[in-house]
Amino acid sequence: MKFMKHIKSCALACLLACLVMACTSETRHSANREVEEFSAWVDENSKRAETATEEEWNEMEAEYNYKATEIEKRSADWDDQTKAEWEKVRTQWQETVGRANTRFRATDEEPEFEVEPEEGGQ
């Protein structure tokens, strides 16, 4: 009788351990998938940023900040590969920010078209 109770206890412990491991694996897979999807979003919007208006750019930046904050909340579930991918994505976006800011500054610094007075004395 004690033997059966001991076996049931061990079986229950093993079952619980398997469930916890499965949940952890699913959580990690979900977190990895989120970073992969975000990476694709950054790729797409980095290309789009090259021709975006300043208003579109501001919307992209706000969306990036929101998404990045939400994803980083689950960073404890990331494996090493996901952490490396995240750093790559952040670096890519910072390069995009730099290019966009340079482009907008260049646009702001361009002299406006001026009409020169006609020669001839009027």
Side-chain angles (χ1 to χ4, degrees):
M1 207 46 144
K2 281 187 173 183
F3 180 72
M4 289 299 284
K5 186 176 182 181
H6 183 67
I7 290 203
K8 287 179 184 178
S9 296
C10 287
L12 182 58
C14 288
L15 179 62
L16 287 174
C18 289
L19 288 174
V20 168
M21 290 173 60
C23 289
T24 302
S25 176
E26 179 58 35
T27 301
R28 182 162 291 150
H29 180 69
S30 176
N32 294 353
R33 189 175 57 246
E34 286 177 334
V35 172
E36 289 171 6
E37 290 170 359
F38 187 62
S39 178
W41 183 91
V42 167
D43 286 341
E44 177 185 328
N45 285 283
S46 290
K47 292 173 188 162
R48 217 178 104 213
E50 294 175 11
T51 58
T53 64
E54 198 162 355
E55 183 179 332
E56 292 170 328
W57 169 247
N58 290 336
E59 290 173 9
M60 279 188 264
E61 256 193 320
E63 188 174 356
Y64 171 87
N65 290 332
Y66 174 77
K67 288 180 178 215
T69 300
E70 289 301 307
I71 291 172
E72 279 186 321
K73 287 178 182 177
R74 292 178 286 286
S75 64
D77 297 328
W78 295 351
D79 58 18
D80 290 339
Q81 181 181 355
T82 302
K83 289 176 184 176
E85 178 70 19
W86 179 250
E87 288 305 315
K88 181 179 152 195
V89 168
R90 286 177 24 139
T91 299
Q92 180 182 358
W93 187 254
Q94 290 308 311
E95 291 170 357
T96 301
V97 168
R99 286 192 306 273
N101 288 338
T102 299
R103 184 170 63 90
F104 291 127
R105 275 196 309 271
T107 302
D108 291 341
E109 293 173 1
E110 288 180 3
E112 293 187 29
F113 182 77
E114 294 182 20
V115 176
E116 297 198 21
E118 291 182 25
E119 289 185 34
Q122 281 191 354

